[in-house]
Amino acid sequence: GASITLSGTLPENVQFSDGGFGSWTLSGLPPVGSGGEYGPDLTMTINGVSATRKMRLIVLEKPDITSSNLAIFPVGLNTSFRVFATGFPKAQLDGIPGLQSNAMRFTITGALPPGLSFRDTDTTGAGIPVGAAVIHGTPQPGTTGSYPLTITANNGVIPASTQQFTLLVTLAGDVNNDTRIDCTDASLVR
């Protein structure tokens, strides 16, 4: 008869079983955080003759924005804030018929103050890693205040991750963010 064995790493909580007659199954529920590619070896033996093939097992995982939901940008200072998300895939997966995989993409809804911009994952060498985005720039005078934004991360695995985000533009030196620089700020620095 035929027997099938699997060697190598599978995601936690995923089991392999030989179904007999040349069939096999994988079952289980991979835990959050196990999204990725796995490459176990599948070996079939018939009448003492074995053949082994590498299996490409992909565990898709919805995105989850993990960066802070608040960033402070002082007026006149060039500042940047990176947005990160977990999930798989972060980069486009190719070569899998029927898999509609997307690279991790970020969008922002709401108005950024003058002098700031938002950049999504970039493969052109701008220094933004795959699976990240950045808010950067220099807030202009007269833009102090709170800017409510919504950041969304989407990699094609449902649901996308949405984060309510606050961008706070302050005066440089305004430690307590009360829109003025005074003795209270100096006492908080000590």
Side-chain angles (χ1 to χ4, degrees):
S3 68
I4 299 177
T5 58
L6 186 125
S7 59
T9 303
L10 289 176
E12 188 177 336
N13 298 336
V14 173
Q15 297 82 34
F16 168 84
S17 62
D18 180 356
F21 304 105
S23 68
W24 53 272
T25 58
L26 291 175
S27 60
L29 182 63
V32 172
S34 64
E37 286 195 56
Y38 298 81
D41 290 327
L42 195 62
T43 302
M44 176 180 263
T45 303
I46 301 174
N47 297 328
V49 178
S50 296
T52 300
R53 299 270 187 218
K54 175 82 58 193
M55 175 193 296
R56 185 176 184 194
L57 174 63
I58 297 173
V59 176
L60 301 176
E61 185 170 355
K62 71 178 187 66
D64 183 29
I65 297 173
T66 57
S67 47
S68 174
N69 64 351
L70 171 71
I72 299 172
F73 281 64
V75 169
L77 293 178
N78 188 11
T79 308
S80 67
F81 176 83
R82 288 222 174 163
V83 179
F84 292 101
T86 60
F88 190 84
K90 288 188 179 182
Q92 177 80 29
L93 292 176
D94 294 319
I96 306 168
L99 177 63
Q100 299 299 316
S101 128
N102 296 316
M104 183 82 71
R105 303 305 301 195
F106 292 85
T107 56
I108 193 166
T109 307
L112 287 170
L116 297 186
S117 62
F118 177 80
R119 276 193 85 172
D120 188 11
T121 298
D122 191 353
T123 58
T124 62
I128 303 170
V130 173
V134 67
I135 300 170
H136 63 97
T138 305
Q140 302 301 304
T143 61
T144 58
S146 179
Y147 294 81
L149 305 167
T150 301
I151 299 174
T152 302
N154 186 349
N155 66 351
V157 181
I158 298 172
S161 179
T162 301
Q163 181 187 65
Q164 299 308 310
F165 183 83
T166 301
L167 189 141
L168 189 59
V169 176
T170 65
L171 296 172
D174 184 10
V175 178
N176 64 352
N177 300 318
D178 65 357
T179 69
R180 61 181 190 264
I181 301 170
D182 53 24
C183 293
T184 305
D185 296 306
S187 67
L188 290 172
V189 173
R190 289 191 230 174

